[in-house]
Amino acid sequence: MDFLRAASLDDALATKAQRPDIAPIAGGTDLMVAINFDHIRPSGLLDLTSVPELADWSESGGVIRIGAGVPYARIISELGEHLPGLAMASRTVASPQIRNRGTVGGNLATASPSGDAHPALLACAAEVELASVRGTRRLPVAEFFTGVKRSAAEPDELITAVHLARATGPQQFAKVGTRNAMVISVCAFSVALHPDRAEVGTGLGSAAPTPRRAVEAEEFLAGELTSRGMWTDPRPLPETVVTRFGELVAAAAAPIDDVRGTASYRRHALGVLARRTVGWTWDEYSTGRQTCA
Amino acid sequence: MSAHVNAPSRAPQDLSESITGGVGESPSRPDGNLKVRGDYAYSSDLWAEDMLWGATLRSPHPYARIAGIDVGQALAYPGVYAVLTHEDVPGDNRYGLKIVDQPVLAEDVVRFRGEAVALVAADHPETARRAVELIAVDYEVLDPVTDPKRAAHDGTLPKLHPESGRENNLVRYQPVVRGRQDVSADVVVSGTYTLGMQDQAFLGPESGLAIPAEDGGVELYLSTQDLHSDRKQTARALGLPPDKVRLTMSGVGGAFGGREDLSIQAHVCMLAMHTGKPVKMMYDREESFYGHVHRHPAEMYFEHGATREGKLVYLKARMYFDGGAYASKTPVVVGNATTLGTGPYEVPNVDIAGWGVYTNNPPCGAMRGLGAVQPAFAYEAQMDKLASALDMDPVELRQRNAVDQGSVLHTGQKLDYPAPVGELIERARNLPMPPERDPAAEPDIRDLPGGAANTTHGEDVARGVGYAAIIKNVSYAEGADDYSTARVSLQAVGGEAVAMVHTAAAEVGQGLVTVQQQIARTELGVERVNIHPNDTSVGDSGSSSASRQTYITGGAVKTACEAVRETLFERATARLGHAVPDLTIVDGKLVSDSHGVLADVVDILGDEVIECTREYHHRPTYPLDPETGQSELVHVQHAFSVHRAVVDVDTQLGLVKVVALDCVQDVGKSVNPDAIVGQIQGGAVQGMGLAVMEEIQVSDGLIRNPSFTDYLIPTILDTPPMKVDIIERGDPHAPYGVRGVGEPPTISAGPAVLAAIRAATGLDLTHAPAGPEHITGTAH
């Protein structure tokens, strides 16, 4: 197995074009596990940690571009205010050591239904930036996931960044695991209020073959808030609305029974998480006061 | 210390660093700093020049007939030095701890998924693994036996070990009956309780290095719990006399019972002897799940009758233990479970029966608290259920029935040593409680169930408190001649008297190294005590299991030290020309009350070395009557602990945060108080893990979660503050009055946590671990 280190993005893209079967590596938190378990044996590793174009985040016109090599630890410490949902999700990743190495870019590359960042990216309508020697394109994250651990990235493409609009309203992320740290999600849910466009975003993790949105729940809640005039005149969210939102989120899930949990538990827990998180976001929106997290 | 010519670098572990402190003090472990710094050499770090790597082909089927094995392609693979099958086992192709029933390499049948079928040695670990994949095995797949109850009773199932001569797939059936069998009671409660399969989850995988010796034997460096048991079984497989198989302990990364059976031992020696080269084997985590035994899962029916005043009248219990494909410690599990099944309570009328069976599930054997952990979940759940039926405080109910010194257990054994269970319960109740959660205050989510995963901000969080009191036997039982051997020497080195203690007793993290040094310092009155590396050049010490080493090997070190001291006194008498009464050694000087300081120990020693080797045997125990389970003294000692757990449960999501897990334990005599606190806290976390998350999920004989990604053990964020209250009620039969410490907290912690979750939720929760699905009723 070769080990190649790219010094620049051009260098990395040229290598990926020549050797599409090579595995890019940043934090290696998924990849090295797969290699250690002998699940995959790529012909080589392409180390991206020295590529300057991937190493930072920047903001332009209210949109934040997070380079694929930015570790979770920096998202938590530097972007908590701009991207609270993604920061909360980042905080649930593994342990401090792994958050220092692991990246959202890597999370996307694995494209696991249980990737912690994905629900928050979905709720924020993030876009994935993909690059190759052929050029650069941006894809809505909901279109990026195509199957269990499969994505729309072409063999010669590298994930170079994600783009997210700076939060205009409260966001929440919650994840159920069987222990209080270092755990793959049994299920996860993220919700974001977008008052600038009177929309609601959601994201479900470990709930279907791919991370997915609960579109009906989003439209239901946004519709209720709009029809009741609550975006501009926030009042307590009616219990019926919260309940219905939870039901629609649970209904959007297509979970399976597996070693981490039953489908029945996942559907139940997603409903609970949806009700609670929407309550917290609305509480914050209507009072201006952030709770916990 | 004898250096082997071919000794690998970084082994054996250098633990010769002397410590300070005698019995009752708390010297720190000599390996502690090394481990924290990451400098400690484990057996997985073993290395020899020019060594080969071994790998194991394992059965993918729980039950299959082997029609043929073709090793041709594997043998032709570049870099491969050997491919061995059962035909290459030089000696007897059978091993086993209690019953010799397991092939070193499978012959015509495989009985569990993961059974070793063939071995490869190659010049690189990856090459060895690739070659393993090239071995072609022709399997005829059979329907596996997976239901332990049917395995016990259903004669239509295939017999997995027809040679056993026992009925159906029984490994052991043991009843224990006492008192009347036709009694009734005012109040009766019953329940069926189940326990999942727990893994020892030691962090250091199975590993070792074998080096062929010039005399036709083999040197094996490894991590194990019992060097001599390994040697006996390995020598038998290799067809060598035991003295040709020399074992040296290397750094052990945890054990908890999982290193009592053979894993790499015979395999790596076969490869080394076949190739004439040093060979190293090291399992990865997934292979480790297949390569060692686990805790027996159990199904237990318990029925208690009591008077309206809360005095127990009778207990009826039926327990099934799934031993998996080979016997391992199944007979001991059945013996412990049936003899300890009443818990630490007096029950006048008892009818207990236990079945241990063969199935095609993963083999189960020793794990911390074996055979005592399972019934504790049942009898403690029953005590709470009974208290509820009687409308009585569960702590009060336990106290009313607690055993004490003089109590007669259902085996007929009279407790002729302190058994302060009532006192332990009382002290547990009186420990300060953690502060209540203030619902008005802004919570820190890290303190709530789910923690930083942000699942609740206090919604639906309920608190519960639960107690558990337990009983465990210490040391080998049922008539086993349990002993240990110690060789102690004393000599003058650089003008200072230096003692050396040499035993084969395994330091597996429990703190035996300091215990041995503390005892020698106390008995010999010298500052410097070195510990010789563990190896088989000294006599048997038995296994580091059953909470026995401080008692048994401690007893051997004490006895050997006394012999060394006696010899020194004789020499002093000869030197002084007259006998002196009441001689002692203080700070390296011979002292008598009547004559004061008489001489320096170094002067008496001169150039000579005093060396004594002694065995320590505990008082004899006796087997159980096979029909009635009666025995004059089945266990040499019992140990008791009480846990109180406080939990917060998110009742909607079924997530649990253990808030406090406090323990009261009688240790007889604290040899190293700090180490005891460590043992109790570590044991409690392991028990808590079994209550809330640890389960090897097996379906159709296959392990579904053979990784630390999906077999979850508690992290530090799951670990609550743990107060430990130690009391010392010495056992007059034991050296210094010690009582085994290591296992009881593992047994009491789990049932206490489960009781607290029941108290918080009002649910029955009859399965351990109780996961989110059980608490939310979404298991199916």
Side-chain angles (χ1 to χ4, degrees):
Chain A
M1 197 162 61
D2 300 325
F3 185 81
L4 307 176
R5 173 167 290 166
S8 68
L9 184 59
D10 285 347
D11 186 11
L13 296 178
T15 306
K16 190 75 169 119
Q18 281 163 14
R19 300 183 55 175
D21 62 336
I22 203 165
I25 181 165
T29 59
D30 282 334
L31 185 64
M32 290 314 296
V33 172
I35 290 173
N36 284 337
F37 273 121
D38 217 1
H39 292 162
I40 58 163
R41 197 47 48 110
S43 72
L45 296 179
L46 175 59
D47 177 12
L48 301 176
T49 54
S50 301
V51 176
E53 292 90 335
L54 307 181
D56 245 315
W57 66 269
S58 57
E59 184 179 358
S60 167
V63 174
I64 294 165
R65 177 189 184 275
I66 304 174
V70 176
Y72 293 110
R74 283 188 63 196
I75 294 175
I76 297 165
S77 60
E78 298 169 23
L79 290 170
E81 200 178 319
H82 300 331
L83 302 172
L86 184 61
M88 283 183 214
S90 301
R91 203 195 284 184
T92 72
V93 173
S95 63
Q97 295 90 329
I98 291 171
R99 292 195 288 273
N100 284 335
R101 285 204 64 91
T103 64
V104 173
N107 214 207
L108 285 165
T110 303
S112 164
S114 64
D116 290 324
H118 306 334
L121 295 176
L122 285 164
C124 295
E127 290 185 342
V128 182
E129 180 187 297
L130 296 157
S132 70
V133 290
R134 297 176 287 115
T136 298
R137 62 180 177 135
R138 278 163 66 166
L139 198 63
V141 69
E143 292 169 31
F144 177 78
F145 304 110
T146 55
V148 178
K149 296 198 175 180
R150 280 185 298 131
S151 77
E154 297 293 337
D156 66 340
E157 283 182 319
L158 289 175
I159 297 162
T160 45
V162 286
H163 298 255
L164 299 91
R166 192 176 166 150
T168 57
Q171 302 178 349
Q172 283 286 342
F173 174 88
K175 160 178 152 182
V176 170
T178 312
R179 68 181 171 196
N180 292 306
M182 290 292 294
V183 70
I184 294 182
S185 81
V186 174
C187 61
F189 180 72
S190 186
V191 61
L193 301 184
H194 306 298
D196 53 323
R197 49 183 199 268
E199 283 177 8
V200 173
T202 61
L204 280 66
S206 299
T210 64
R212 61 163 63 168
R213 293 162 58 196
V215 178
E216 277 187 58
E218 293 175 1
E219 289 171 354
F220 163 74
L221 182 58
E224 288 291 324
L225 294 176
T226 302
S227 66
R228 291 165 191 261
M230 284 170 66
W231 288 111
T232 47
D233 178 20
R235 299 178 303 282
L237 215 48
E239 196 53 44
T240 51
V241 172
V242 173
T243 303
R244 184 67 189 141
F245 181 73
E247 286 167 4
L248 289 171
V249 166
I256 54 167
D257 286 330
D258 69 11
V259 73
R260 292 174 197 138
T262 61
S264 158
Y265 175 76
R266 288 187 160 106
R267 212 174 276 113
H268 163 79
L270 283 165
V272 175
L273 293 181
R275 291 197 300 271
R276 288 183 186 169
T277 52
V278 82
W280 303 334
T281 49
W282 189 253
D283 204 34
E284 183 183 340
Y285 185 71
S286 53
T287 66
R289 186 176 61 90
Q290 197 173 354
T291 64
C292 297
Chain B
M1 152 186 166
S2 62
H4 299 293
V5 181
N6 287 323
S9 57
R10 303 191 73 187
Q13 197 65 49
D14 181 13
L15 293 176
S16 62
E17 191 184 326
S18 205
I19 53 148
T20 57
V23 169
E25 296 180 70
S26 289
S28 27
R29 304 172 57 93
D31 53 345
N33 287 338
L34 291 172
K35 283 176 174 169
V36 171
R37 286 200 308 266
D39 287 340
Y40 184 80
Y42 291 94
S43 60
S44 50
D45 297 315
L46 288 161
W47 194 272
E49 281 303 312
D50 202 26
M51 71 180 187
L52 302 176
W53 291 79
T56 312
L57 174 69
R58 297 180 179 277
S59 165
H61 307 294
Y63 192 29
R65 200 163 297 289
I66 296 178
I69 304 177
D70 180 359
V71 301
Q73 255 194 302
L75 207 47
Y77 195 70
V80 170
Y81 280 70
V83 182
L84 306 182
T85 69
H86 69 92
E87 290 177 354
D88 304 299
V89 176
D92 188 0
N93 187 23
R94 285 289 180 282
Y95 71 95
L97 285 173
K98 290 277 168 185
I99 299 172
V100 180
D101 63 356
Q102 184 159 1
V104 177
L105 291 171
E107 293 161 7
D108 54 341
V109 63
V110 284
R111 297 184 180 84
F112 74 99
R113 188 271 178 256
E115 178 155 5
V117 175
L119 306 169
V120 169
D123 56 10
H124 189 279
E126 174 113 357
T127 306
R129 282 200 297 271
R130 294 287 169 259
V132 157
E133 291 165 9
L134 294 174
I135 301 171
V137 183
D138 184 6
Y139 291 106
E140 291 167 13
V141 177
L142 303 169
D143 272 348
V145 176
T146 56
D147 179 339
K149 254 175 141 166
R150 282 190 63 197
H153 301 299
D154 187 345
T156 67
L157 292 177
K159 282 189 86 161
L160 302 177
H161 292 270
E163 77 286 356
S164 78
R166 284 177 298 275
E167 201 184 332
N168 302 328
N169 281 298
L170 269 183
V171 178
R172 182 175 182 186
Y173 164 68
Q174 180 65 55
V176 181
V177 286
R178 188 169 182 83
R180 288 170 51 199
Q181 301 304 312
D182 57 346
V183 282
S184 55
D186 299 339
V187 180
V188 174
V189 292
S190 65
T192 298
Y193 304 90
T194 56
L195 195 84
M197 186 185 290
Q198 189 181 20
D199 187 53
Q200 295 85 354
F202 43 69
L203 294 187
E206 293 83 349
S207 48
L209 176 67
I211 303 174
E214 282 175 8
D215 67 351
V218 63
E219 314 281 346
L220 174 59
Y221 298 82
L222 80 168
S223 50
T224 178
Q225 292 177 238
D226 188 342
L227 288 166
H228 285 80
S229 165
D230 283 5
R231 174 162 82 164
K232 183 176 157 195
Q233 296 176 79
T234 304
R236 177 187 170 122
L238 298 176
L240 288 173
D243 64 344
K244 289 279 179 68
V245 181
R246 294 171 288 266
L247 275 62
T248 303
M249 188 71 79
S250 299
V252 181
F256 314 111
R259 295 190 209 276
E260 281 214 87
D261 289 82
L262 293 192
S263 56
I264 53 112
Q265 287 85 335
H267 295 161
V268 74
C269 289
M270 278 172 61
L271 291 171
M273 294 180 67
H274 191 90
T275 59
K277 283 170 166 290
V279 178
K280 175 173 175 173
M281 285 188 99
M282 181 170 80
Y283 295 169
D284 66 17
R285 182 57 58 188
E286 181 171 353
E287 184 171 20
S288 178
F289 271 93
Y290 297 111
H292 65 255
V293 298
H294 312 288
R295 187 189 298 292
H296 286 69
E299 180 181 326
M300 302 167 289
Y301 171 78
F302 270 61
E303 179 183 315
H304 281 90
T307 66
R308 254 180 267 288
E309 292 70 41
K311 281 297 279 184
L312 291 171
V313 174
Y314 77 89
L315 165 64
K316 179 179 176 178
R318 299 287 178 264
M319 295 182 268
Y320 290 87
F321 300 97
D322 186 352
Y326 295 99
S328 183
K329 284 275 180 118
T330 298
V332 179
V333 167
V334 173
N336 285 358
T338 50
T339 58
L340 305 169
T342 56
Y345 306 112
E346 287 189 334
V347 194
N349 307 294
V350 172
D351 169 14
I352 291 180
W355 290 263
V357 297
Y358 288 123
T359 65
N360 294 115
N361 288 322
C364 289
M367 183 175 172
R368 200 174 193 173
L370 85 171
V373 163
Q374 292 92 339
F377 275 95
Y379 61 69
E380 284 304 88
Q382 285 280 105
M383 293 304 279
D384 288 336
K385 205 168 184 174
L386 183 58
S388 169
L390 289 163
D391 198 19
M392 183 181 280
D393 173 14
V395 175
E396 172 69 27
L397 175 69
R398 285 173 170 85
Q399 282 177 318
R400 277 190 198 181
N401 294 283
V403 296
D404 205 341
Q405 183 159 4
S407 293
V408 176
L409 300 182
H410 59 301
T411 56
Q413 177 172 356
K414 185 175 178 181
L415 298 178
D416 58 356
Y417 34 71
V421 176
E423 182 185 357
L424 295 177
I425 296 170
E426 185 63 26
R427 292 176 80 107
R429 183 215 284 273
N430 292 336
L431 287 173
M433 286 292 265
E436 289 288 324
R437 237 167 34 81
D438 177 2
E442 184 82 355
D444 181 332
I445 57 167
R446 290 169 301 182
D447 297 334
L448 294 170
N454 190 37
T455 49
T456 180
H457 294 176
E459 299 92 336
D460 306 307
V461 175
R463 178 157 291 191
V465 179
Y467 288 82
I470 64 89
I471 183 169
K472 175 69 179 57
N473 63 307
V474 174
S475 302
Y476 303 159
E478 299 187 56
D481 178 19
D482 189 358
Y483 74 99
S484 180
T485 316
R487 181 181 296 153
V488 174
S489 66
L490 187 65
Q491 64 181 315
V493 178
E496 189 185 358
V498 177
M500 170 78 88
V501 178
H502 187 185
T503 73
E507 168 63 51
V508 295
Q510 80 276 44
L512 186 64
V513 169
T514 63
V515 163
Q516 294 181 72
Q517 287 175 306
Q518 290 173 265
I519 290 174
R521 287 170 57 97
T522 297
E523 295 301 327
L524 295 176
V526 299
E527 275 294 310
R528 282 190 58 198
V529 178
N530 293 337
I531 297 291
H532 189 287
N534 297 140
D535 59 28
T536 47
S537 71
V538 66
D540 198 343
S541 280
S543 178
S544 287
S545 62
S547 306
R548 64 183 280 282
Q549 288 291 20
T550 296
Y551 189 142
I552 312 299
T553 293
V557 172
K558 180 171 186 278
T559 310
C561 286
E562 286 163 357
V564 167
R565 201 172 57 201
E566 244 1 86
T567 308
L568 184 74
F569 289 169
E570 281 163 20
R571 290 192 190 172
T573 304
R575 180 87 166 260
L576 297 167
H578 58 88
V580 183
D582 57 50
L583 267 180
T584 54
I585 315 171
V586 179
D587 296 338
K589 292 182 168 47
L590 282 178
V591 181
S592 132
D593 281 354
S594 42
H595 294 68
V597 174
L598 296 166
D600 271 347
V601 171
V602 285
D603 293 334
I604 303 293
L605 286 168
D607 295 335
E608 290 183 50
V609 181
I610 300 176
E611 181 181 284
C612 296
T613 303
R614 291 291 181 274
E615 286 180 1
Y616 177 83
H617 298 246
H618 68 58
R619 58 181 172 148
T621 58
Y622 301 94
L624 297 172
D625 181 284
E627 307 286 317
T628 65
Q630 297 301 294
S631 172
E632 183 182 329
L633 189 94
V634 60
H635 296 304
V636 70
Q637 186 185 66
H638 291 87
F640 310 95
S641 64
V642 174
H643 258 100
R644 185 187 66 195
V646 181
V647 305
D648 281 340
V649 182
D650 181 333
T651 56
Q652 281 298 302
L653 289 175
L655 302 179
V656 174
K657 171 91 178 173
V658 181
V659 175
L661 190 54
D662 301 328
C663 184
V664 190
Q665 186 167 337
D666 174 21
V667 304
K669 166 71 188 171
S670 261
V671 177
N672 183 328
D674 282 359
I676 285 175
V677 170
Q679 275 277 62
I680 292 174
Q681 293 181 331
V685 174
Q686 202 157 26
M688 178 184 81
L690 177 56
V692 296
M693 64 179 83
E694 294 192 38
E695 180 168 7
I696 296 180
Q697 299 181 32
V698 179
S699 64
D700 302 324
L702 304 175
I703 297 179
R704 299 171 71 213
N705 54 341
S707 73
F708 280 168
T709 306
D710 286 316
Y711 182 86
L712 299 181
I713 56 176
T715 70
I716 191 65
L717 289 182
D718 302 283
T719 304
M722 293 178 282
K723 295 188 196 76
V724 175
D725 179 15
I726 291 169
I727 67 169
E728 298 176 281
R729 306 286 177 267
D731 177 351
H733 307 284
Y736 305 109
V738 297
R739 197 181 286 285
V741 170
E743 295 174 293
T746 307
I747 305 167
S748 49
V753 169
L754 214 48
I757 300 173
R758 286 191 197 101
T761 61
L763 298 168
D764 267 348
L765 301 177
T766 55
H767 181 75
E773 289 95 339
H774 300 107
I775 297 171
T776 54
T778 54
H780 301 289

